[in-house]
Amino acid sequence: MDVIQIIIPLIIFVFIIIPLGRHVYNVLSGEKSFVDPLLNRVDNFIFKVTGIKHDEMTWKEYVLAIIVSNAIMCLAAFIILRLQNIHIFNPNNIVAMKPDLAFNTAISFITNTNLQGYAGESGVSYLSQMVVMTFLMFTSAATGLAAAGAFMRGIIGRKKTFGNFFVDMTRLITRILLPLSIFVTVILVSQGVPQTLAPNKTITTIESKYQDIAMGPVASFESIKHIGTNGGGFFNANSAHPFENPTTFSNLVELLSMMALPGALVIAFGLMLKNKKQGLMIFITMAVLFVIMIPVIYMAEKAGNPNLAHVGLSQVMGNMEGKEVRFGIAASALFTTVTTAFTTGTVNTMHDSLMPLGGLVPLWNMMLNVVFGGKGVGFMNMMMYAIITVFLAGLMVGRTPEFLGKKIEGKEIKLIAFAILVHPFIILFPSAISLSTKMGLSSITNPGFHGLTETIYQFTSSAANNGSAFAGFNGNTLFANSATGIVMLLGRYLSIILLLAVAGSLVSKHAVPETMATFRTDNSTFVVILISVVIIIGALTFLPALTLGPIAEQLMLGH
């Protein structure tokens, strides 16, 4: 039964992404689609009202458009969070956010991270939930997808420009994110997820005591949260809360929602390249790295905690601490693997309660940040490793490396090397500061190896723009809000800038003809080498930290 709970969602995932990938390709490439008669009118109205023109952009102009537009939205979000105590869509009289938390939250949602230092049901008003959180979940997801589309155009190199960011973002919202969100919202409402602007309900319990039942526009929030791989929770318990995720069917819907677009993006790449086999090889690489982690977390949680067994507590059901009984170990293990491989950040189980090796899986997925990943960035990071793989293969045979018909030279390798080094640096350096200062240590609620893991997890989640957390780490302090806010910014925008710079360099190059000596990147040999390169670089970078955290904790179990 457990195996079926894992296999069926993965099979459905494969069937979903094929037609969805075709639709994503049509939107990113401007091809005609069945939705054009209606949505062309919608888009043209938006373009007319906002003054958006269809002028093509260079990679630098595209990056500038991303940075400026995101900065303006982030500032607006900060202001709203600071003023959310006003009586507009605030029936529960939520107070204004303090400055450092508002700073962290605005950055968190604009960067598609959705790391939350507040409890959703008591920390933000309905106005903030809708105008800040829900709105930014649309725009941040569209920004990532647009960047990925521009990157594809650049590395394929069929024209010197990269499209128009504002046109791309508009089309991605109206043609993909909004329709899918409406569809999923209706399904979630049918499963019992609330969708209302009514205030919290006060009820009398069977003990004749009063209890507040939190309400709100939850279903619409949940739909884009998963479709946009955002991950923030309307409630503090996130998708473990029965109002966010009430049934096993809603759990399946949310699982597939966060998997759909990252998988479809790889299919769209193969179609844009006019080489489906190349897209398939990238998909297989990601799928292998994803699938091999599922049995690790499942077996770790199924084995249970030997320390509890030693004191006479049954571990027949495995480690059920922090898990919902309605989901069980299999569905929880799959959800945890998916939410960190696809860098969503939503959780249906508390990661702080995972067994040490179980906790290693989400950490590893975020440290790699290439296993499908969130909207666009995960795909771009995998292509970065693909270029590195081609470069290493070229060195071994003494030939100038080529990728997708373009020569890979010193400029591209320097940019990619910098991009690879940035990710571990913004994880390990702030983690070291946190673990060596009183400000950082004050956030840890568990001593020893587990406390170290909590700290590393917090900064890994921020750098990977994931947003999930080891719940034992107190992220709502001046130090934590400031440090993770900076890490989220660097993790989001540095990779986009560097990889679009790589695409900008490649787009100016002439295509070289394929010869017998060309290292092919659309076969199984390339997949094996690419997987090896990803694992080796990941291990060399993060193995010491993992050894001091979850691995050491695992070795101490039962002693």
Side-chain angles (χ1 to χ4, degrees):
M1 186 65 180
D2 281 358
V3 174
I4 294 175
Q5 291 182 59
I6 293 173
I7 290 177
I8 288 179
L10 300 183
I11 293 173
I12 298 174
F13 163 64
V14 173
F15 280 103
I16 286 175
I17 63 173
I18 295 174
L20 185 57
R22 167 64 68 174
H23 182 57
V24 172
Y25 161 72
N26 289 338
V27 173
L28 289 176
S29 62
E31 297 287 333
K32 291 184 179 180
S33 173
F34 69 95
V35 299
D36 286 348
L38 172 63
L39 294 183
N40 276 344
R41 297 179 181 180
V42 175
D43 291 346
N44 290 334
F45 174 76
I46 294 172
F47 297 149
K48 183 177 181 180
V49 170
T50 58
I52 294 175
K53 299 180 180 179
H54 288 66
D55 297 341
E56 290 281 317
M57 296 178 174
T58 65
W59 77 266
K60 292 180 180 179
E61 291 170 334
Y62 207 96
V63 165
L64 183 62
I66 290 175
I67 300 300
V68 172
S69 63
N70 279 217
I72 293 172
M73 288 186 284
C74 186
L75 177 60
F78 176 82
I79 294 172
I80 293 171
L81 292 171
R82 292 287 293 137
L83 299 175
Q84 69 173 0
N85 58 317
I86 59 177
H87 298 293
I88 301 177
F89 293 115
N90 188 19
N92 300 315
N93 298 316
I94 305 296
V95 299
M97 270 194 186
K98 61 180 184 176
D100 60 299
L101 181 57
F103 165 81
N104 184 275
T105 303
I107 289 174
S108 179
F109 279 84
I110 195 64
T111 59
N112 201 237
T113 309
N114 299 45
L115 187 72
Q116 294 173 289
Y118 60 89
E121 58 265 57
S122 60
V124 286
S125 66
Y126 290 172
L127 177 70
S128 295
Q129 294 277 29
M130 294 185 294
V131 179
V132 176
M133 282 71 179
T134 303
F135 173 76
L136 291 185
M137 286 195 286
F138 276 99
T139 59
S140 65
T143 295
L145 285 170
F151 178 75
M152 289 180 192
R153 297 174 194 131
I155 61 175
I156 293 170
R158 292 178 180 162
K159 55 182 180 178
K160 302 295 183 182
T161 51
F162 284 64
N164 184 293
F165 169 70
F166 301 108
V167 172
D168 288 342
M169 185 169 71
T170 302
R171 286 171 55 84
L172 286 164
I173 291 174
T174 59
R175 285 161 153 70
I176 297 176
L177 297 175
L178 192 57
L180 286 177
S181 295
I182 293 172
F183 177 70
V184 173
T185 297
V186 172
I187 294 177
L188 292 180
V189 168
S190 74
Q191 295 301 297
V193 178
Q195 181 67 21
T196 177
L197 293 176
N200 295 346
K201 302 293 183 183
T202 302
I203 63 169
T204 304
T205 67
I206 58 176
E207 293 96 355
S208 298
K209 296 180 179 179
Y210 295 107
Q211 180 179 345
D212 286 334
I213 303 297
M215 305 291 286
V218 184
S220 56
F221 185 101
E222 289 299 297
S223 60
I224 186 58
K225 153 186 165 179
H226 290 98
I227 290 167
T229 62
N230 293 283
F234 192 97
F235 302 106
N236 192 38
N238 211 285
S239 284
H241 195 289
F243 281 4
E244 288 199 25
N245 192 5
T247 67
T248 53
F249 183 67
S250 69
N251 191 69
L252 175 63
V253 170
E254 292 183 6
L255 194 71
L256 293 172
S257 295
M258 58 178 150
M259 298 171 74
L261 283 177
L265 192 62
V266 184
I267 303 299
F269 170 66
L271 294 172
M272 189 176 290
L273 187 60
K274 308 300 182 186
N275 185 348
K276 294 181 181 179
K277 191 175 181 182
Q278 178 69 76
L280 179 61
M281 294 303 106
I282 299 297
F283 180 84
I284 290 174
T285 301
M286 293 178 170
V288 169
L289 290 168
F290 165 62
V291 170
I292 60 176
M293 300 312 295
I294 298 175
V296 176
I297 185 172
Y298 172 75
M299 290 188 291
E301 299 308 304
K302 194 68 176 177
N305 191 333
N307 289 332
L308 296 180
H310 289 166
V311 297
L313 295 177
S314 174
Q315 295 294 288
V316 173
M317 293 182 64
N319 175 36
M320 285 298 294
E321 180 190 344
K323 297 180 180 64
E324 287 294 303
V325 175
R326 66 185 186 274
F327 303 139
I329 286 179
S332 298
L334 179 61
F335 203 98
T336 299
T337 308
V338 168
T339 194
T340 47
F342 292 75
T343 60
T344 306
T346 182
V347 296
N348 74 349
T349 184
M350 293 301 102
H351 293 185
D352 197 44
S353 296
L354 295 170
M355 298 302 295
L357 286 185
L360 182 145
V361 169
L363 254 179
W364 177 250
N365 285 337
M366 294 186 295
M367 285 171 171
L368 293 184
N369 201 22
V370 298
V371 189
F372 291 104
K375 292 297 168 285
V377 177
F379 166 79
M380 293 166 70
N381 287 342
M382 179 56 82
M383 299 307 294
M384 171 182 69
Y385 277 96
I387 294 173
I388 281 289
T389 300
V390 170
F391 175 72
L392 294 175
L395 289 179
M396 288 188 285
V397 298
R399 175 184 169 87
T400 302
E402 302 163 10
F403 185 62
L404 305 181
K406 301 291 183 71
K407 287 188 178 295
I408 306 300
E409 297 174 308
K411 181 180 179 180
E412 294 82 38
I413 295 302
K414 290 175 183 177
L415 288 169
I416 288 174
F418 184 51
I420 288 177
L421 291 173
V422 162
H423 184 60
F425 178 80
I426 62 176
I427 292 172
L428 299 177
F429 183 71
S431 295
I433 294 176
S434 183
L435 290 165
S436 60
T437 61
K438 290 183 179 180
M439 293 184 299
L441 291 172
S442 65
S443 291
I444 299 175
T445 55
N446 292 284
F449 305 121
H450 196 80
L452 184 142
T453 302
E454 287 177 349
T455 301
I456 295 174
Y457 194 104
Q458 185 78 358
F459 288 102
T460 303
S461 180
S462 301
N465 299 130
N466 181 267
S468 64
F470 258 42
F473 186 93
N474 178 18
N476 189 14
T477 66
L478 177 60
F479 171 78
N481 282 328
S482 303
T484 55
I486 294 170
V487 169
M488 286 187 283
L489 284 173
L490 295 176
R492 174 69 162 180
Y493 297 108
L494 273 182
S495 61
I496 289 177
I497 293 170
L498 290 169
L499 291 172
L500 284 180
V502 171
S505 178
L506 291 175
V507 76
S508 62
K509 295 185 178 183
H510 296 291
V512 295
E514 186 177 302
T515 67
M516 291 292 292
T518 301
F519 177 66
R520 298 187 62 84
T521 58
D522 57 358
N523 56 28
S524 58
T525 301
F526 174 72
V527 170
V528 172
I529 298 175
L530 178 55
I531 292 173
S532 302
V533 168
V534 171
I535 292 176
I536 290 170
I537 292 178
L540 289 173
T541 308
F542 294 109
L543 188 57
L546 293 174
T547 301
L548 292 172
I551 295 175
E553 187 180 2
Q554 179 70 35
L555 294 174
M556 293 299 293
L557 283 180
H559 293 286

